[in-house]
Amino acid sequence: MSKLDRVRSAARQFEIDGEFLEAQPFGSGHINDTYRVMFKSGGNSFFHILQKVNRNIFKNPDALMQNIQRVTAHLSAQIANDPDRDRRVLRLISTRNGNAWYVDEEGEYWRAYQYISGARTYDAVQTTEQAFQAARAFGRFQDLLASLPAPRLNDTIPDFHNTPKRFETLLAAISADTANRAALVKPEIEFALSHEPITSILQDANLPERVTHNDTKFNNVMLDDATGEGICVVDLDTVMPGLASHDFGDIVRTTTSPTAEDERDVSKVTMQFPMFEALVRGYLSSAGAFLTSGERKLLAFSGRLITFEIGIRFLTDHLSGDTYFKIHREGHNLDRCRTQFKLLESIEQQQDRMERLVDSLT
Ligand code: GN1
Ligand code: MG
């Protein structure tokens, strides 16, 4: 079966009226295969989102899908009175057999979501208002999920934000040097090794466990086309128990530089202070009520740590021969690593000022 046949056949398993017209790759995620599928019904065409879960990375897709079912149902109940509720939470489309996901003959896991129109994601931030909106939306997401009933969500990827462990994995990749690239990235390796002392700071801070998103990239929040409001948080695969600081840190990582994550000209990569200020203000506007003083104190540091963590994950993948993140060109993971390290330097230069701002606002 061709790839398109497989996508078409999976799409037809879901409760979607009409005739399948086409499927286009959608979004810029590095992990799953995401398509926007078009169906024709009653003379009109309609979009839906179809995704194939990456089983290489998500070892227990049933546990993952159970999380997503619980999380989307809870969010949906929380905003039941909002007239715009259909665009403010991802909604799974069930299969014709009434299941929340479909497993094909090859054991691949598929899910479908209702399409959210009049809103989009961006790979790079343009305005402080966008930054404010993104941070506010992720803070609200955490707030709405604070009341998720027991049991604890499944850990879809254990130790996902365990930075010391990510550091150990980097050391192992340097020693193994599977792709024979270590000698070519000496400056990046040295930069990474010199940061070992910061790796355990969040873990040692005794912060409360919460339900967190864990992948709060700027392009994982949809901004309304008309109003610019951050209306819907997407990419729920890593929603699981975690630290609020991981989420805020990844917002800082992805929403302060004017560049995309894989910008080749690192001279353009910089932590723009006004963006950081907008992020703190936006996040506090929705998460301020529940954050502990320990969490507030670490807001500025969290961006530094997560930028480092994702930077070493890209470096590790480059050294291991690009087995984890999708790449679209030679050296793609190295380019991504370099932007992270450049951003980290920029954050480090402004750390005191960032701390002072957080102090003044909390
Ligand atoms: C991956 O799926 P996507 O592209 O939103 C990754 C994140 C990284 C991010 C870096 C499950 O996110 O942890 O921060 O790439 N997701 C997983 O861009 O590993
Ligand atoms: Mg994503």
Side-chain angles (χ1 to χ4, degrees), residues 28-32 57-58 157 160-161 166 214-215 217 219-220 235 237-238 250 253 261 310 313-314 324-325:
S28 38
H30 301 334
I31 309 287
N32 296 319
I57 285 169
F58 297 107
I157 300 183
F160 193 60
H161 280 301
R166 296 285 188 188
N214 296 302
D215 187 10
K217 283 160 74 163
N219 67 14
N220 278 337
D235 197 348
D237 296 317
T238 51
D250 210 19
R253 175 183 82 82
E261 187 179 66
I310 310 298
R313 287 179 61 197
F314 288 139
Y324 188 95
F325 298 105

Side-chain angles (χ1 to χ4, degrees), residues 70-86:
R70 287 179 58 202
V71 164
T72 53
H74 186 73
L75 290 171
S76 163
Q78 296 282 96
I79 60 164
N81 295 328
D82 188 325
D84 195 29
R85 60 187 169 269
D86 286 349

Side-chain angles (χ1 to χ4, degrees), residues 41-65:
S41 170
N44 291 313
S45 47
F46 299 93
F47 290 130
H48 305 277
I49 295 296
L50 181 71
Q51 282 186 310
K52 188 177 88 176
V53 177
N54 185 331
R55 284 191 299 142
N56 199 14
I57 285 169
F58 297 107
K59 304 290 184 201
N60 188 344
D62 290 290
L64 179 155
M65 288 307 302

